[in-house]
Amino acid sequence: MRVLLLGADGFIGRRVTDRLLVDQELQVTVLGRRDSADIRFDLTTGSPGALARFLDAVAPQVVINCAGATYGSSRVLIRSNTLAVATVCEAIRRSREPARLVHVGSAAEYGPVPGGIPIAESAEPRPVGPYGVSKLAGTELVLASGLDATVLRVFDVVGPGAPTASLFGRLSEGLRRALERDESVVRMPDLSGYRDFVDVRDVARAIQSAAVSAATGVINIGSGHAVRARDAAQMLVRTAGFEGTVAEESRPALLPAQSAGAADHLLHPLAHHLAGHRPAESRAAEGRAVDGRSPAAEPVPWRQADVRTARDRLGWRTQVPLEESLGDIWLETACRV
């Protein structure tokens, strides 16, 4: 099977690349902006026509889209998470033999939900920050495209390679610094929220499974368990052997991209417009069927995936326990020169 991978250099994309390249049944081509890519192409500025010509040359049977932005201004987010997805969908439609599309979405698309209840794919998305809104708009474009496509709505990804700006990447760096300087306090944002942490290697397996499946619509990818971020942080603290204190600030943990601002008023109508014009059959498919933290305007205290669809349609479930994920984050940090 010929596979075209987009976003191979990202946190998730690197692990997907690792899995695909060792599969003897797959022929993988990487498209991206870096010199390491097989095909140099910028999804945020390139045209659908140019991308369609690359698709005709490679003739992939599956396109996996791990590309996107987690940080940056609202303009960067909408260009990377929405307009780039529009380019991908249009290019696939224009190609001679339209490929299947596996698109990586985000649990941030759901926004605030009732506590204590797993989030099913049929839940109405209500994102509250530019990141979640831009990701939802991308998802809606995929579902409205008429392509053979599935969106994996990935929950809170952890594990080796976690960005230093992520929650546990930040904590791990803080612990290393405190141990090196013999400091007794590591400062973190508020850790009272519950999150569904899923290892990046399990996410990569889910993407591989989706690529070779016939599943369509939205599919949640998570552990199916909600863990208080504070408890997970203490696992990492114990792994590091830190005997000091983790002092939490009063504000929630934020991704820079998710602070609320005037851009929300521009982005929300786009997502609502796309949702309102999605074909009925796509909405029905969703009903059957990363990463963000609490936005400033409306914190999200609870997030837990209902993962029954992933189990039933992809034959997928998590394999890596949270303790192992956090241990691997610490190992990388401690060994970093």
Side-chain angles (χ1 to χ4, degrees), residues 116-303:
I117 302 173
I119 309 170
E121 290 87 351
S122 57
E124 182 178 358
R126 297 180 181 276
V128 290
Y131 172 70
V133 171
S134 68
K135 290 295 291 184
L136 176 60
T139 289
E140 297 291 353
L141 285 166
V142 172
L143 298 176
S145 67
L147 299 171
D148 172 13
T150 187
V151 176
L152 301 186
R153 201 165 263 163
V154 178
F155 278 63
D156 298 79
V157 188
V158 295
T164 55
S166 68
L167 183 63
F168 295 118
R170 173 178 173 176
L171 176 57
S172 188
E173 286 291 341
L175 291 170
R176 184 175 94 153
R177 192 163 49 248
L179 290 168
E180 288 175 346
R181 301 176 182 177
D182 197 25
E183 297 173 347
S184 60
V185 178
V186 174
R187 301 193 178 278
M188 290 292 291
D190 175 65
L191 300 171
S192 61
Y194 287 82
R195 291 291 180 266
D196 187 326
F197 299 111
V198 57
D199 190 89
V200 65
R201 292 159 290 193
D202 283 329
V203 173
R205 287 194 305 104
I207 292 170
Q208 182 182 28
S209 296
V212 299
S213 78
T216 58
V218 174
I219 301 177
N220 287 339
I221 300 298
S223 69
H225 302 283
V227 176
R228 191 187 290 270
R230 184 177 299 130
D231 296 335
Q234 285 303 314
M235 292 182 195
L236 184 52
V237 168
R238 290 192 296 270
T239 299
F242 180 65
E243 297 180 353
T245 302
V246 176
E248 299 177 34
E249 302 172 6
S250 59
R251 63 183 178 83
L254 283 173
L255 287 173
Q258 291 178 285
S259 56
D264 286 339
H265 301 295
L266 298 175
L267 296 177
H268 273 290
L270 173 60
H272 294 162
H273 171 78
L274 291 168
H277 288 78
R278 180 152 45 99
E281 60 271 21
S282 295
R283 293 194 297 269
E286 179 181 355
R288 288 194 301 270
V290 81
D291 45 8
R293 285 168 196 83
S294 307
E298 190 174 6
V300 180
W302 172 271
R303 191 147 65 208

Side-chain angles (χ1 to χ4, degrees), residues 69 74 77-83 85 109 127 129-139 267 271:
S74 297
L77 293 169
I78 201 71
R79 187 168 61 238
S80 302
N81 299 333
T82 306
L83 298 181
V85 177
E109 298 170 33
Y131 172 70
V133 171
S134 68
K135 290 295 291 184
L136 176 60
T139 289
L267 296 177

